[in-house]
Amino acid sequence: MDNLILRAKELLENKTVQVVIGYEAGPTGVVRPAFISDPANADSLIYDERCVQNLAVYLTKPEVKHLGRIAIVSSLPVMRSIMMLISEQQISYDEIVVLGISADGVLLDIADLSVMQGYIDKSDLSNPVKYKELLAELKKLTPAEKFEYWQKELSKCIKCYACRQACPMCYCTRCTVEVNQPQWISVQSNAHGNMEWHILRAMHLAGRCISCGECGRACPVGIPCHLLTMHLTDQVYNYFKVYAGTSEKMNSVMSTYEPNDKESFIV
Amino acid sequence: METIRKLIRKQSLEKLYNNLAANRKVYAPVIAADKKAEYKYNPGFADVTFDHIRSTLSVKNIVFPKVENLFFYENSKTESTITDIDLDKIPEVVLWGAHPCDNAAFDTLRSIFCWDTKDEFFSRRLEKLTVIGLGCHSSDEYCFCTSVGLSPSSSRGSDILLTKLQTGDYQAEILTAKGNEIVSSFPDLFEPLTDEKVDITEVKQKFSHKQVTEKLAGAFEHEFWIANSLRCIGCGACAYVCPTCACFDIQDETKGKNGKRYRSWDSCGFGLFTLHTSGHNPRHVQSQRWRQRIMHKFSYMPDRNESLGCVGCGRCSSGCPVDMNIAEQLEALQNI
């Protein structure tokens, strides 16, 4: 990843950016996000198949924004998250420099927003292949079997909200679950409260999830909660023929109405 | 009481387990479908693992459940009627095969829950708990019990501590009256100990907790906190898998006229944790919350509770989605 390191150094040295967000291997060998402000430290940047975390989650954090202009190492899911955050007016493209990385790990020259748009346009935007099989398996289940499957999985939930915190699209400063006057959903971690939380989370991400799988990866107890949002990604595409994070001007399908929207769900 | 050491044969362990499980709730580790260890109530002995390093969740839920009902209420136009929880219904539990770090954590929790006012819910659950611990014959890079004053063979918190012998049988250290009661109930299963060659893993010491505590006293404003917490995403995974984290939130949930007040796990890593009604938040960024986590465990607790708030189990680090490795950070803090 010499090109990435050189580019990161250059951006820091000529003060185009104040920080580069990328990946490094920690002392125990675990790959984790790195925040590089000193060009001399850019050599620790890596990029390989272990670099899976969606770094776009940091772009909306006040303490990270406070650092100055950001260059961010961006695989396709990160680029789509950025597009989504721009469309929802959470960030502006001027605040960041995208260090795009292709699917085969090559540094891309993302000169501006239109180049990033072009790269997203020619990419496969459906759910990642490794999850398609699982989704297909789940689809085969009867509604009762599905309910049983999710009851069992969600019973493990401890309400640590790692799924929410890991998601670039869950940027609300105050989540609905943290509002208790009135209390919208049950905050207790039991069958009822867990189900309510995961349905709420999935529905808030319908049409906004860019299928990075970060929520499932972050879950300390191994709930495949990414399959819920990925299923909705399929549903949204089936109904509205759009994928999230594909345009800076996209409207969220769940909060807009078009006269030609399908209404087949109305009984 | 004075510690008594006995021998229990491998095949006798099964008899002991089955005898206990016949009329008590026994909480024991099994290997789950995802190959990780988890604790279950009364699993079959064949499923109980003796080789796990750490379960994903700690066992603190026995004494500090993730949701604890405090009372029920019924509202009328003029008054509320409260129904207390019957604490006598808390069942007796035998914790089987938990490691020394987890068992020592019950002491740490007691130092929090019974610091000033004795917490009835916690105390009653702890009274009903008997711990048959298991010394560690394996460990991994996340373990750091030896850095926080414990070891793979610490008996703190156990009523009986089993340790694998090189022969494959087990040494049983009988440490408390509760432990002695179990041994006395099944005298045939325990034999005099002759061979004492135990199979215990070695856990390398990574830092000195005393030095860390000393350093922390003057490190509140240190740049370390921001630099080392930028990647923290502010979830509660570390606190929820932690055997000693004891913070909770209290909520009311009402349906019609009836409702209940309960407490559930909370985490100082959440932004909302210190948000005041006024809108002011004294810990408004993640670095302040991360600092609080370390300070609480390694500075405030030794100072106020005379106990360290960490048992070195490594769960917070192995369960963290962004590798906020606490042992690594404490090692670095020792040298700032």
Side-chain angles (χ1 to χ4, degrees), chain B residues 188-250:
Chain B
D188 302 348
L189 304 179
F190 295 88
E191 300 169 28
L193 183 71
T194 46
D195 174 12
E196 297 191 5
K197 280 189 204 119
V198 291
D199 182 3
I200 279 285
T201 184
E202 202 179 314
V203 174
K204 207 180 126 215
Q205 189 180 338
K206 295 179 176 172
F207 57 89
S208 145
H209 68 85
K210 285 192 179 129
Q211 272 188 42
V212 168
T213 301
E214 277 168 27
K215 271 281 156 70
L216 287 177
F220 196 79
E221 302 289 354
H222 202 280
E223 62 196 17
F224 177 90
W225 305 112
I226 294 177
N228 287 283
S229 66
L230 280 168
R231 69 177 179 277
C232 174
I233 55 173
C235 72
C238 49
Y240 289 9
V241 300
C242 173
T244 67
C245 270
C247 285
F248 56 80
D249 182 26
I250 294 182

Side-chain angles (χ1 to χ4, degrees), chain B residues 9-20:
Chain B
R9 304 259 175 215
K10 215 177 162 190
Q11 55 274 28
S12 301
L13 275 180
E14 181 169 359
K15 286 184 194 151
L16 178 65
Y17 177 89
N18 288 336
N19 274 315
L20 292 170

Side-chain angles (χ1 to χ4, degrees), chain A residues 24 26-28 30-33 35 53 57-58 61-64 67 155-162 164-166 174 178 180 183 185-190 192 194 214 217-218 220-222, chain B residues 34 36 38 56-57 66-67 69 141-142 226 230-237 240-241 249-253 260 262 264-265 270-272 275 284-287 289 319 321-325 328:
Chain A
E24 66 178 10
T28 55
V30 178
V31 169
R32 64 194 191 188
F35 293 75
Q53 195 198 337
V57 71
Y58 297 109
K61 294 199 182 299
E63 59 266 50
V64 176
L67 298 171
S155 71
K156 294 190 280 188
C157 178
I158 49 174
K159 290 255 179 119
C160 70
Y161 300 119
R164 177 186 74 187
Q165 295 304 109
R174 193 154 185 180
E178 288 162 346
N180 60 4
Q183 190 136 48
I185 82 153
S186 177
V187 291
Q188 52 185 330
S189 174
N190 56 16
H192 170 75
N194 292 350
E214 189 57 22
R217 190 194 69 85
V221 295
Chain B
D34 60 2
K36 290 176 181 165
E38 66 175 14
T56 305
L57 297 178
K66 57 183 183 174
V67 181
N69 293 331
E141 68 279 12
Y142 288 111
I226 294 177
L230 280 168
R231 69 177 179 277
C232 174
I233 55 173
C235 72
Y240 289 9
V241 300
D249 182 26
I250 294 182
Q251 298 266 353
D252 285 355
E253 233 168 75
K260 65 170 184 177
Y262 63 89
S264 54
W265 294 350
F270 291 144
L272 195 76
L275 181 65
H284 66 279
V285 289
Q286 206 56 36
S287 56
R289 299 171 202 139
V322 292
D323 194 35
M324 293 290 286
N325 189 315
E328 173 202 336

Side-chain angles (χ1 to χ4, degrees), chain B residues 104-115 156 209 213 216 242-247 291-311:
Chain B
F106 292 118
D107 251 7
T108 314
L109 287 172
R110 185 184 2 227
S111 80
I112 302 168
F113 280 107
C114 303
W115 171 30
R156 205 176 113 199
H209 68 85
T213 301
L216 287 177
C242 173
T244 67
C245 270
C247 285
R291 174 180 64 195
Q292 167 63 21
R293 182 170 174 77
I294 303 236
M295 283 284 187
H296 192 200
K297 291 182 178 298
F298 289 88
S299 181
Y300 310 149
M301 280 193 62
D303 188 27
R304 270 186 273 172
N305 307 51
E306 289 171 7
S307 97
L308 209 60
C310 174
V311 291

